[in-house]
Amino acid sequence: MTLATEHDAAAGPALGGGSRLLRRILNERSLIIKIIWAALLFVLLVSPMIPIIYQGFLDKALYEEGANYTLKNFTDLFGDPEFADAMLNTLYIAVLGTLFSTSIGFLAALFLDRFALPFQRTLRLLFLSPMFLSSLILAFAWSMMYSPTGFIALALQDATGLGLPNLNSLGGITLLAGVSAAPISYIYFSSAMMNIPNTLELAARAAGATPLQAIRSVVVPLLMPSLLYCLMLNFVLKLDLLAVPLVLGVPARIEVLSTYLYDKGLTSARVDYGLVSAAAIVMLLLVQFFVYAQKFILGDTRKYNTIGGKAGRQTLIPMGMWGWVIAAVMFVYCMLTAILPCMFLILRSFTSFLSPYMPISEVLTLDNFRLVFGYQDYINSIYNTLIIAIGGGALAVLITFISTIVAYRSPNLLRSFTEQTAFIPKAIPGLVVGIGIFYATVIIPGSGFLRGSLLILVIAYVIRYFPTGFASVSPAFQQISTDLEKAVRVSGGSEWRSYVAVTFPLLRPALFSCFLLYFVQFFKEYAAASFLFGPNTAVIGTTMLQLNVMGNYGPVAALSAITLALTLPIAILIHYKKREA
């Protein structure tokens, strides 16, 4: 054996061992990166809660020196008669609004996904339309049409001498709150109903049950998880509701928990940060309680499983003439609650004043749009909204993509931690997110540059809607086999190279849908921005609120029309892409 041969023989194991060590180091480095990302994601998503809780127990503003711990903020809060009234009103709206939206959502799912109705696809889209609209726009539209001084109320009073029930009341707020949330209830009931095979109903009918008896005895009990989830979700949504009580309740001096926070934190001459934080903590605890109560009540959901290896194809129950009656009732409901108010709002944007006592031809004008596009602050609010929706949406998609990698390409413990972290903001109201982020920039050294910037709004929006984006991408990610990624790594590519070369292209349709979802939600958002925007960072939602306070309803309608034109086509596209999937 030559010297060179002996050297190669000795070096071979050493190089092989070095290669294995290098691969092990790289693998551990990849795991360390994932752990760091999961930790940073956790810090980001819980960041609104920590400063609020901290401020709630201080006797001074958290940026002031010499602050001491106290419970005075909570004693002052619970001793405030305005807070007591706001809590009672909130619970009233939450309970009755939840019952209304859940009942309407269930009936819509029954009619549209269990019965054979004419124009079924069109009716489904019309019923879902409030979900595509900002609740702020819907509140403005209802106020301009159905309030005591609204167009329809005045026209009806003039024609028949009878007026509409007062929309500016607890009952009116509850009704609109229920209407705006009914499509969400429909989605959960619809998904569950489509998973219940017809064989169960056919068995009940073979035993002598009528179609309605079969639905009552078979379908309804199997919908219990969706029913409980809808009740909890709708209750939480009513607690977080700001636009409807702000537009309909403030003129009648009706205050709820969200408007109490809005008033004490924004419009008061002297903001009591301790009182605002204590109220935000109460709101946060209420939401957290109902979110986790839902999980506890459902328990083991396997007892509701209906899909097995021989699941039958879903067929619709023919309704004959009753199908036309049901379709007509649904069409009238959709027109009165969403379509006509939005059409009226668009018409209002092209008039100087709209009244049943004056011909429309005499008040047609483009002045509202000239005012919007002629005033730099209003133009900036449109630009800011587009920048946040496009740029912030793209950033949110990137964060979502990396987070799904960490969640579903990691050991079980890290996967579980990341999944649980991703859904934390689901139980944080939008107003609380805004307050918390504002406080965080006060106490975190070096974060002052965020205040008054668009970046702070992007951060707040990402936190608020991250659970929605994560939930939309996760199912598609979990369908991708790891074999394709392993092929890249066998060929010499790194783990992260495999994600870029294989996983990202396969996820592109899901990520595009996720971006559209973020775009629409970011464009509509206003609650989190209420505590964060500055003179140069107003968005369309906050601008509309300010215009509404000043009584400039024409520009409000114009901005609403612009928002509808930019978001409705995308929202409808998302709906059809999901239906095709």
Side-chain angles (χ1 to χ4, degrees), residues 113-159:
D113 297 307
R114 219 62 183 177
F115 297 161
L117 302 181
F119 308 109
Q120 200 146 9
R121 192 169 184 177
T122 302
L123 286 173
R124 183 181 291 111
L125 181 61
L126 290 177
F127 183 81
L128 289 173
S129 57
M131 189 175 65
F132 305 147
L133 306 172
S134 166
S135 57
L136 190 59
I137 291 178
L138 206 56
F140 285 138
W142 273 51
S143 178
M144 292 179 187
M145 279 192 71
Y146 301 130
S147 70
T149 57
F151 187 92
I152 297 298
L154 292 177
L156 189 64
Q157 177 73 31
D158 185 58

Side-chain angles (χ1 to χ4, degrees), residues 31-80:
L31 179 59
I32 291 172
I33 291 173
K34 291 177 180 178
I35 292 173
I36 293 173
W37 180 270
L40 291 175
L41 183 68
F42 177 81
V43 171
L44 172 68
L45 298 185
V46 302
S47 59
M49 295 191 293
I50 297 173
I52 287 178
I53 295 172
Y54 179 57
Q55 174 66 82
F57 293 93
L58 295 180
D59 60 356
K60 295 181 181 179
L62 46 74
Y63 54 81
E64 294 182 9
E65 296 182 358
N68 298 310
Y69 292 108
T70 182
L71 293 176
K72 186 176 182 298
N73 297 322
F74 292 93
T75 57
D76 290 346
L77 180 70
F78 291 115
D80 185 355

Side-chain angles (χ1 to χ4, degrees), residues 1-12:
M1 182 180 292
T2 64
L3 182 62
T5 304
E6 291 177 357
H7 175 76
D8 291 342

